[in-house]
Amino acid sequence: MVKAIVQSHVEDYERFHAVFSERVDFRKSHGATGHTIYRSVDDPNTLVVVNDFASADDARAFAAAPELKEAMARAGVENPQMWIVEEAEAERY
């Protein structure tokens, strides 16, 4: 599985989440199969969003979509950094 991981700060989590929630069909149309949102315990407006994709090509198309940039602007996302990664290892303790 491939993941597009986005780390950013948002102006307001509720505003971000409202826009993020309305864009589920957009993510699905680019091959997304799910997501997880993490919030900093020290600053709940600092986020890491992990979007799951079936392929790297799907994740790259999602990352390059002009609609993503527009949605991030509406959501108050500041200075997003994105990585497209493949899981190398996972273990739970």
Side-chain angles (χ1 to χ4, degrees):
M1 181 179 303
V2 174
K3 299 183 182 293
I5 300 174
V6 181
Q7 188 277 322
S8 66
H9 188 268
V10 296
E11 294 172 6
D12 175 74
Y13 179 78
E14 297 306 322
R15 174 180 162 194
F16 158 80
H17 196 263
V19 175
F20 185 84
S21 295
E22 76 184 24
R23 302 302 294 169
V24 67
D25 289 338
F26 165 75
R27 291 191 299 279
K28 286 181 179 180
S29 74
H30 282 82
T33 60
H35 73 270
T36 305
I37 300 173
Y38 298 93
R39 297 173 76 179
S40 168
V41 295
D42 296 320
D43 177 0
N45 289 322
T46 297
L47 309 178
V48 174
V49 180
V50 180
N51 293 286
D52 302 324
F53 291 88
S55 75
D57 288 340
D58 287 343
R60 287 185 192 105
F62 167 77
E67 299 93 339
L68 177 60
K69 187 175 183 177
E70 180 273 329
M72 284 183 167
R74 282 193 309 112
V77 175
E78 303 169 335
N79 303 314
Q81 297 179 41
M82 184 182 297
W83 300 270
I84 298 174
V85 300
E86 290 181 309
E87 190 171 283
E89 182 176 336
E91 193 166 333
R92 301 281 184 244
Y93 297 100

